[in-house]
């Protein structure tokens, strides 16, 4: 699988172009199926694996430790830690457990970030995290403090690359300016909700917003910033008639774009899912998809996107559909 480089202030950290998300591993995706997907991903050349200390607290019986704990068992049984780039997140876990969310998210204070980093490493069975994200915004903690705390994890050798998820473009830009002014390692990854369809104007996503035009514009001007997208396949809505479009995307613009997507997929002999993934990878700026799959067959379909050749004309047709 082709590799991309995440900036870490040095030679960079190589990752696979597709990132495997593990949100439901250990809860709705049982261990046997999760291990099979992980094994296939590694076999296909994948290296980049994404989790969080919250996955999946909202599932009945879930507490948030399930995904990291499962990954730790898989890494120990397969002995592939040196072949894997591990990304996890902090800041969104309800505190106390069961409290209203996101009003009572744990936040990004120094104590929370440092304590949870150690807890994540323990569950994952590793002595360092490759990528560590501020999961959602915490307006109670100053950006200066957040930047300093994440930077301290890098300088202490506990984390290689830091990033943020679900942050406004101005918050990301300000955090990076603070780091530069202080000579500290700053956020070089941003993970945001993103897909081929555009949400209707005014659509609400709560604490998990769709990527903004401002953030994409900012990323184009920042060569050391890598953009990742989650929920890229809309939980199967592109290909499964039993999965309607999320209401935020169900508007006339989407139906026009879906028609163009279907035409391009037919011309290429591909599935709409594969075209969406190829479009993201070829976009400006390029977006690394975080795959949310629950079976080997779903993963294999996604891997097929790497074989697609979107030329300039096809990319333009997809971009300009409206």
């Amino acid at each position: 699988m082709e590799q991309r480089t995440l900036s870490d202030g040095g030679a960079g950290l190589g990752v696979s172009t597709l990132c495997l998300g593990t949100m439901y591993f250990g809860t709705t995706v049982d261990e046997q199926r999760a291990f099979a997907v992980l094994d296939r991903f590694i076999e296909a050349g994948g290296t980049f694996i994404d989790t969080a200390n919250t996955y999946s607290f909202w599932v009945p019986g879930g507490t948030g430790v399930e995904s990291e704990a499962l990954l730790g068992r898989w890494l120990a049984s397969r002995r592939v830690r040196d072949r894997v780039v591990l990304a996890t997140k902090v800041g969104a876990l309800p505190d106390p457990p069961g409290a209203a969310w996101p009003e009572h998210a744990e936040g990004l204070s120094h104590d929370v970030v440092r304590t949870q980093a150690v807890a994540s490493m323990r569950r994952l069975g590793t002595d360092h995290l490759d990528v560590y994200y501020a999961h959602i915004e915490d307006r109670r903690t100053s950006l200066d403090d957040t930047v300093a705390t994440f930077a301290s994890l890098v300088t202490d050798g506990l984390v290689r690359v830091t990033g943020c998820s679900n942050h406004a473009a101005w918050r990301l830009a300000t955090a990076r300016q603070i780091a530069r002014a202080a000579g500290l390692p700053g956020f070089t990854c941003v993970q945001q909700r993103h897909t081929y369809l555009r949400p209707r104007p005014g659509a609400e996503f709560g604490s998990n917003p769709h990527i903004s035009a401002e953030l994409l514009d900012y990323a184009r001007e920042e060569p050391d910033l890598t953009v990742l997208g989650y929920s890229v396949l809309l939980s199967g809505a592109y290909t499964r008639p039993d999965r309607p479009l999320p209401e935020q995307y169900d508007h006339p613009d989407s139906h026009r774009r879906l028609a163009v997507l279907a035409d391009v997929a037919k011309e290429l002999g591909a599935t709409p899912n594969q075209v969406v993934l190829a479009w993201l990878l070829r976009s400006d700026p390029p977006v690394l998809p975080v795959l949310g799959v629950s079976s080997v067959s779903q993963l294999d379909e996604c891997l097929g996107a790497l074989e697609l050749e979107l030329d300039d004309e096809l990319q333009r047709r997809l971009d300009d559909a409206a």
Side-chain angles (χ1 to χ4, degrees):
M1 192 181 299
E2 184 182 343
Q3 297 279 300
R4 301 289 174 97
T5 300
L6 306 182
S7 176
D8 64 356
L13 178 61
V15 298
S16 55
T17 53
L18 297 179
C19 178
L20 180 63
T22 64
M23 178 181 290
Y24 291 109
F25 286 14
T27 50
T28 60
V29 180
D30 64 42
E31 188 151 317
Q32 182 178 0
R33 280 194 296 151
F35 275 34
V37 171
L38 288 159
D39 289 344
R40 175 67 181 119
F41 186 65
I42 292 295
E43 176 189 284
T47 62
F48 201 3
I49 298 176
D50 182 86
T51 185
N53 72 334
T54 57
Y55 294 162
S56 295
F57 75 81
W58 57 91
V59 172
T63 64
V65 306
E66 289 80 10
S67 175
E68 287 184 338
L70 182 146
L71 281 173
R73 293 191 294 274
W74 176 76
L75 288 165
S77 68
R78 301 315 195 247
R79 299 183 180 181
V80 291
R81 176 64 184 97
D82 61 342
R83 296 171 54 190
V84 167
V85 177
L86 283 176
T88 192
K89 311 177 190 75
V90 64
L93 191 67
D95 182 26
W101 189 91
E103 298 91 328
H104 296 284
E106 63 187 344
L108 299 170
S109 70
H110 176 87
D111 288 347
V112 165
V113 172
R114 298 283 306 201
T115 299
Q116 289 290 357
V118 172
S120 289
M121 286 187 283
R122 183 180 64 250
R123 287 189 289 268
L124 291 163
T126 184
D127 62 358
H128 72 283
L129 302 171
D130 296 306
V131 184
Y132 202 36
Y133 291 100
H135 201 165
I136 60 173
E137 290 187 1
D138 175 14
R139 300 291 179 94
R140 300 165 298 182
T141 302
S142 75
L143 272 176
D144 294 84
D145 289 347
T146 297
V147 168
T149 299
F150 275 83
S152 73
L153 292 169
V154 177
T155 56
D156 289 350
L158 298 177
V159 172
R160 292 192 62 182
V161 173
T162 63
C164 64
S165 182
N166 304 307
H167 279 56
W170 73 266
R171 297 273 293 179
L172 170 60
T174 302
R176 282 165 55 85
Q177 289 168 0
I178 291 169
R180 285 170 178 160
L184 296 173
F187 295 148
T188 59
C189 293
V190 57
Q191 186 179 136
Q192 214 86 342
R193 184 189 299 272
H194 192 21
T195 188
Y196 174 62
L197 298 185
R198 299 178 289 218
R200 58 176 169 74
E204 287 293 330
F205 294 91
S207 296
N208 305 94
H210 187 94
I211 200 166
S212 66
E214 291 78 10
L215 197 155
L216 290 171
D217 286 343
Y218 176 69
R220 288 186 190 99
E221 302 301 321
E222 299 288 316
D224 68 332
L225 181 64
T226 300
V227 181
L228 294 98
Y230 68 84
S231 294
V232 292
L233 299 180
L234 299 179
S235 300
Y238 284 112
T239 56
R240 291 177 53 174
D242 63 322
R243 297 288 179 90
L245 287 178
E247 63 89 13
Q248 297 97 330
Y249 298 95
D250 192 2
H251 61 123
D253 178 76
S254 290
H255 298 289
R256 291 189 290 267
R257 286 175 78 82
L258 285 170
V260 175
L261 178 65
D263 287 344
V264 171
K266 184 176 181 180
E267 290 177 32
L268 293 174
T271 68
N273 282 342
Q274 291 169 338
V275 175
V276 169
L277 296 174
W279 175 81
L280 287 165
L281 288 168
R282 201 179 185 279
S283 293
D284 178 23
V287 176
L288 305 190
V290 180
L291 306 177
V293 299
S294 58
S295 68
V296 171
S297 62
Q298 290 176 358
L299 175 59
D300 282 339
E301 179 189 6
C302 293
L303 293 172
L306 301 176
E307 301 173 5
L308 290 189
E309 291 288 341
L310 284 182
D311 60 24
D312 290 344
E313 190 273 332
L314 289 176
Q315 187 79 13
R316 188 161 45 249
R317 279 171 57 191
L318 290 164
D319 288 342
D320 295 344

